[in-house]
Amino acid sequence: MPYTSFAVAGAGPTIGGRIVQALVNRGASVVVLSRGGSSSTQTPLLQGAKIAAVDYSNVSSITNALKENKVEVVVSALAFGALPAQRPIAEAAKEAGREVVCTL
């Protein structure tokens, strides 16, 4: 695996959580970008991942989390209702100098 550090947005108990689980099982460093107070971070699928509370509408908040955790790849598995958050996530990835962004 050429990349070893990932951030996953939308890591609830469905597809995003399973992505986190698979990455952690492969030995990757994973940080979950979560809205503050979100109950979706309680799923066992996120075991082994770091949780970073961010404001999905605030580019600086997301950028700081990416830089602090030395994230190489950003994965967005946000639900349809959260699609407006895709733009700030992409902008934050660019601002943080991350070249790989995957949107599901």
Side-chain angles (χ1 to χ4, degrees):
M1 180 168 42
Y3 297 106
T4 59
S5 179
F6 297 80
V8 180
T14 57
I15 187 74
R18 298 194 188 288
I19 292 168
V20 169
Q21 185 179 49
L23 289 168
V24 169
N25 287 345
R26 289 182 173 259
S29 171
V30 182
V31 61
V32 172
L33 303 178
S34 174
R35 294 177 311 240
S38 174
S39 62
S40 64
T41 60
Q42 303 306 312
T43 176
L45 294 171
L46 306 185
Q47 187 173 1
K50 181 178 179 183
I51 308 298
V54 299
D55 177 353
Y56 282 151
S57 66
N58 185 312
V59 174
S60 294
S61 172
I62 302 164
T63 301
N64 290 339
L66 298 178
K67 287 181 176 180
E68 288 172 11
N69 292 285
K70 298 177 178 55
V71 170
E72 298 169 305
V73 178
V74 180
V75 178
S76 178
L78 293 172
F80 181 77
L83 287 180
Q86 298 283 21
R87 181 176 298 265
I89 291 170
E91 289 175 9
K94 182 178 178 180
E95 191 171 305
R98 304 320 180 243
E99 297 179 12
V100 181
V101 177
C102 176
T103 303
L104 304 177

